[in-house]
């Protein structure tokens, strides 16, 4: 905090708190007096006017005294903010992609999709999350698609190949698929970019 012992003893709790933390810390202090212990995270103000995050564990001891244990958690809080910002950026990139994107675990269960995947398949996000991606494959491409999926898990990536997706309405959509092995929420997964190549197929047919 940057204060001397004498300076701290002359200050009240609000004097060393960021404005947004004053109400919560006073509420928790009242709870400490009633229940005998609290745990919380607050923003403190240093003597130089800067702010930092700190976790506090406090207990009531005899003679109406209180013993507190504190830990500077500024780095952890900053890391959490950066992670949230990174996830928000990733979601924005996913949803603005022109191709359908899906992430599956190594067992083939769909973990995440972008908006374009919903448009391509006709299924909602809720209908796709938790479903095996193999259920979206027409029989004509199931074998080679599953083989490619296995290769991605073993080797890390695959060359683009032509496949197909069975829409919710039963229509088969020709696709081009590119996949790579990624880490998603702390576990190995496969991310696939799936492009509708219907126009390309029609163009070939007229050549």
């Amino acid at each position: 905090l940057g204060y001397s012992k004498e300076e701290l003893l002359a200050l009240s709790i609000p004097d060393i708190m960021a404005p947004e933390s004053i109400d919560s810390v006073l509420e928790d202090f009242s709870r400490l007096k009633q229940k005998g212990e609290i745990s919380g995270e607050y923003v403190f103000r240093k003597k130089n006017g800067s702010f930092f995050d700190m976790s506090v564990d406090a207990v009531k001891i005899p003679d109406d005294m209180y013993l507190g244990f504190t830990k500077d958690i500024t780095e952890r809080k900053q890391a959490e903010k950066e992670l949230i910002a990174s996830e928000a950026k990733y979601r924005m990139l996913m949803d603005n992609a022109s191709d359908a994107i899906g992430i599956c675990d190594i067992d083939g269960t769909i973990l995440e999709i972008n908006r374009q995947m919903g448009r391509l398949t006709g299924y909602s996000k809720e209908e796709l999350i938790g479903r095996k991606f193999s259920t979206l494959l027409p029989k004509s491409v199931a074998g080679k698609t599953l083989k490619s999926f296995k290769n991605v898990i073993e080797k890390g990536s695959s060359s683009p190949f032509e496949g197909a997706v069975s829409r919710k309405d039963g229509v088969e959509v020709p696709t081009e698929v590119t996949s790579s092995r990624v880490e998603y929420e702390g576990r190995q997964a496969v991310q696939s970019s799936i492009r509708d190549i219907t126009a390309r197929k029609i163009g070939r047919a007229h050549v």
Side-chain angles (χ1 to χ4, degrees):
L1 290 172
Y3 295 97
S4 67
K5 179 180 179 180
E6 291 73 21
E7 288 174 321
L8 276 175
L9 290 174
L11 296 173
S12 66
I13 291 176
D15 292 330
I16 59 173
M17 305 302 301
E20 66 268 25
S21 288
I22 292 176
D23 288 343
S24 61
V25 78
L26 290 177
E27 288 176 6
D28 286 347
F29 185 68
S30 176
R31 187 160 50 86
L32 172 62
K33 291 190 288 186
Q34 296 174 1
K35 298 187 176 181
E37 62 180 14
I38 60 161
S39 294
E41 296 179 355
Y42 315 99
V43 181
F44 284 76
R45 180 171 56 194
K46 294 183 179 181
K47 185 178 180 179
N48 64 10
S50 63
F51 300 98
F52 71 106
D53 296 283
M54 195 149 63
S55 65
V56 178
D57 294 289
V59 294
K60 187 175 182 180
I61 58 178
D63 301 322
D64 287 327
M65 303 287 284
Y66 304 92
L67 179 63
F69 302 89
T70 62
K71 181 179 180 181
D72 187 337
I73 57 171
T74 304
E75 289 187 4
R76 194 198 83 198
K77 285 290 189 178
Q78 183 60 34
E80 289 175 353
K81 290 177 183 177
E82 291 175 356
L83 178 60
I84 291 171
S86 176
E87 290 176 344
K89 183 178 180 181
Y90 178 70
R91 167 50 61 187
M92 181 184 69
L93 291 172
M94 282 266 287
D95 283 340
N96 287 319
S98 58
D99 292 340
I101 298 175
I103 300 175
C104 299
D105 65 17
I106 59 175
D107 294 321
T109 301
I110 299 172
L111 304 175
E112 185 60 89
I113 64 165
N114 69 347
R115 292 174 184 166
Q116 192 62 29
M117 181 68 83
R119 297 187 186 107
L120 175 66
T121 64
Y123 290 98
S124 68
K125 182 175 182 177
E126 291 72 23
E127 289 175 312
L128 288 175
I129 299 298
R131 180 175 183 159
K132 295 291 186 181
F133 84 90
S134 57
T135 63
L136 301 175
L137 302 175
K139 291 182 179 180
S140 58
V141 301
K144 72 174 182 178
T145 304
L146 293 173
K147 182 179 179 180
S148 175
F149 184 81
K150 182 178 179 181
N151 286 337
V152 171
I153 295 171
E154 295 174 351
K155 299 178 181 179
S157 63
S158 72
S159 299
F161 70 93
E162 292 190 2
V165 167
S166 291
R167 286 178 47 84
K168 187 175 182 179
D169 59 12
V171 174
E172 291 187 11
V173 180
T175 61
E176 181 179 81
V177 183
T178 305
S179 300
S180 59
R181 190 177 64 226
V182 298
E183 184 173 310
Y184 181 78
E185 296 185 343
R187 52 178 162 168
Q188 291 295 303
V190 174
Q191 178 173 302
S192 297
S193 178
I194 305 167
R195 179 170 297 176
D196 183 343
I197 58 171
T198 301
R200 184 193 304 177
K201 289 283 191 179
I202 295 173
R204 286 180 186 171
H206 287 82
V207 172

